[in-house]
Structure formats: structure tokens, C-alpha cells
Amino acid sequence: MVASSFGYANARLKAMKAKLFDVDKMRELSAVKTLPEVIELLEESVYKKEFVDASTKHSGMPLALAALKSDLLNCVNKLFKYTPESCHSLLYAQLRNWEVNSLKQIIVSKAVSKPVDSSEFEGINDESTSLLQKIASMESVKEIARELMGTPYSQSIEPVYSKILRSGDYKLLCESLDKSYYAQLTQSARESGDLYTKKFLDYWIDSLNAVLVARMVFSNAGAKEIIPYLIEGGNCAFYENLAAEKDRQKLLNAVKEKFELTQGLIEKVGKTSELSWME
């Protein structure tokens, strides 16, 4: 029964994947010079319905963002519909990351007095969308912190809540949201009853820890500074040892072997110190 469920899911997801743009289509998009030309191409693609629906409220870049977000939400709903329930914790973990990133985008914008259009934010469900749009309508980081204390994020915010209210430090608030997401990711990995889902979540945690350690080592942080930030789960002991590595090249080689990265990529990171290549 489980095998047939995965077989069905695999067939449906392959059909969805077949609708993604191929290399030629992506080259065609990258070759145009203006946003209206990009939108015109997208309106004649598999995204046509979403662009038509969004065009009643938006134009320009907001139109493109609204249409593509709508398509993404439709795809997510299909994933939940087609995949076995044992995989849903993995989907929820990814979607929670989306919500956290949206919240951080709003918080940073408020901190630098950048205007935010609340209608541009859609969450993983109606409740999430309502939260994002409410947060986007608020005026300050302190006001946002007060509101988030009434949500599941409160457990991670509480230890630094008074400091945020005193200082309005947006970085502390964003860091708390990350911690909340990482804690949920760890819990999902521990509680997953499906072996493949657990393996994927552990691999995901490993990749996040690898980036975290590399970034902090490249910023000259020591093991004592790095280890408290590591996400529980995966092969956490490996990254605790890696945090003590002061030789950047040895660190990069260890990550290369762990994730089977190419030598050329590691050499590029070593020469430029641009970790985005590795990420």
C-alpha cells in the first residue's frame, strides 16, 4: 500500500515537473530586456491563468510576484494532495521556512523604514496569510515583537523579548524566528515515522549547519561562538568538530567530501571567499 502510494505520488510529481521551463525557455526569458516583455512571455506559458487572475489587482512587478506566488501555492496544495501523509512533515518544514523568511523580510523593511505592501504577502494557509499581512501593516519592530509573542514563535522570542522592547533590535527578532524554525525542523526529523523523510530532514539540517559553520569560521568566529548556534539533529557532532577548524581550506574540503561537491566549486570558494557558491 505504501509502495503504491509513493508510486502514484512519483507519477503525479513527474507530470508536474514536466511543465517546468526547460533550458531554451529560460534562455528566452533571460534574453528579453524589459519587465513587460518578461510578463508577456509568462502570460503565454503555463502561468497564464495566474497572471490573468492577478492582473485584476496588480501590474508590473507586483503582478509577476502575485502570479508566481499563486502558482506556488497551487503547487503546494497539489503536493499535499498527491503525497502520502508520512511525507507531510517534510512539506510543512519547507513551508514554515517560507513563512519565517517572509516575516524577516517585513521586519527588515520596517527597521530601515522601507514601505511594505501587506497585500504582497501570502502565507502557507489562510491563518499564515492573515498573520503576515497583519505584521506587514504594523509600524515598528517593537510592535511586531509584541504581536509575535501571541504566536508559536513566542518560545524562541521570549528570552530576548525585553531586550527587543528596549532596543528595537530587529536582528534579535529575526534570529529568534530562525531559532523557532530550526527547533521545529529538529522536532520534525525526530518524530518522522517515514525513513526517507527523516533522512531528507537530517540531510537538510546538515546542509544548514555546514553553511552556518563555514560562514562563522570565515568571519573568524571560534568554536565556542559557533556551537551554540548549531541546529540539533543530523550529524551535529561532525559540525561541532568542524567548528574548531581554523584552516579554511581544510574546512571546505571536509564540506566537499560530506556533500560530494565538485573540486572546481570548492576552489572558486577558496579563491573568492564567496560562500554563496557553496550554498
Side-chain angles (χ1 to χ4, degrees), residues 36-86:
E37 289 178 292
V38 173
I39 291 175
E40 184 178 349
L41 285 173
L42 293 173
E43 285 176 335
E44 298 304 319
S45 71
V46 292
Y47 300 105
K48 180 176 182 177
K49 181 182 182 303
E50 284 73 23
F51 272 84
V52 170
D53 291 344
S55 66
T56 61
K57 295 182 179 180
H58 305 283
S59 62
M61 182 59 76
L63 166 61
L65 291 174
L68 295 175
K69 282 184 179 179
S70 176
D71 179 79
L72 179 57
L73 287 172
N74 288 336
C75 287
V76 167
N77 288 330
K78 289 180 181 178
L79 290 175
F80 276 104
K81 179 180 178 181
Y82 298 151
T83 56
E85 191 172 343
S86 60

Side-chain angles (χ1 to χ4, degrees), residues 216-272:
M216 294 190 75
V217 168
F218 272 58
S219 298
N220 299 315
K224 289 183 179 180
E225 298 169 275
I226 298 171
I227 289 174
Y229 287 95
L230 290 176
I231 307 165
E232 293 183 29
N235 189 0
C236 196
F238 173 83
Y239 298 100
E240 289 178 355
N241 292 328
L242 196 63
E245 181 58 72
K246 296 181 180 180
D247 187 314
R248 294 183 179 184
Q249 192 56 52
K250 288 183 179 179
L251 182 148
L252 291 175
N253 288 337
V255 173
K256 169 182 173 290
E257 293 180 12
K258 178 75 173 176
F259 294 95
E260 299 181 357
L261 304 178
T262 65
Q263 183 61 35
L265 185 148
I266 292 299
E267 289 176 357
K268 183 179 291 186
V269 174
K271 290 178 181 177
T272 64

Side-chain angles (χ1 to χ4, degrees), residues 192-206:
S192 177
D194 178 73
L195 178 62
Y196 295 105
T197 299
K198 177 173 173 50
K199 282 185 175 181
F200 188 93
L201 288 170
D202 282 338
Y203 186 85
W204 193 346
I205 291 171
D206 278 347

